[in-house]
Amino acid sequence: MILQYDWLIIDGYNLLHQAEDLKPLLQHDIQGARHRLVRRVEETAHAMAKQTTVVFDGREAGSDVALGSKYLEVFFSPANLSADTVIERLVCRAPDAEKVLVVTSDRAECDTVSSAGAQTMSSQEFIAQCNAAAKRPVPKRTPPGKEPRLGDLFPDGL
């Protein structure tokens, strides 16, 4: 079941390391791995929360590739802060922390943001939701003015 939150905050590298199919790419193309991860989670995140922020540790060389979209924003922590610290500060500054969901499998991070009032979800559970959403068929849209007929709703031969 997909819940609705005001804000979904994702620990980017924590989630990336849980995506088994992206681990090989992570070894030789970190930008490509980040890009594929962000595109994968985009629709699921948008269905779960009004606002989504993915936080990665530090800005690496060449990380200025536009990862954000109309559904989510991507932050890189400054050199003097970890992504965990940025996430904790975002939760603490949220107007209603109870409506914030943080995706991470870092136990200490979960404890910290939970104590500030946020909800948590493991990276494994979130990846499973993204994978399930990717397997669902996209419903066909009826053109304006053309209502479906009974025969349109059933496959041939049934």
Side-chain angles (χ1 to χ4, degrees), residues 78-125:
N80 60 335
L81 299 175
S82 68
D84 291 353
T85 302
V86 171
I87 292 168
E88 292 162 11
R89 288 180 180 183
L90 292 173
V91 169
C92 289
R93 292 178 182 154
D96 194 356
E98 294 79 24
K99 293 183 181 180
V100 174
L101 175 66
V102 175
V103 173
T104 185
S105 291
D106 180 323
R107 177 57 33 211
E109 182 69 6
C110 286
D111 291 345
T112 302
V113 298
S114 292
S115 68
Q119 306 297 310
T120 61
M121 177 184 286
S122 73
S123 292
Q124 296 88 345
E125 184 179 346

Side-chain angles (χ1 to χ4, degrees), residues 141-149 152:
R141 303 218 171 161
T142 305
K146 183 180 180 203
E147 296 301 318
R149 295 174 294 155
D152 296 336

Side-chain angles (χ1 to χ4, degrees), residues 46-67:
H46 180 62
M48 294 176 74
K50 298 172 188 170
Q51 174 185 359
T52 300
T53 303
V54 181
V55 182
F56 289 103
D57 282 303
R59 182 170 294 280
E60 296 166 4
S63 65
D64 56 349
V65 176
L67 290 175

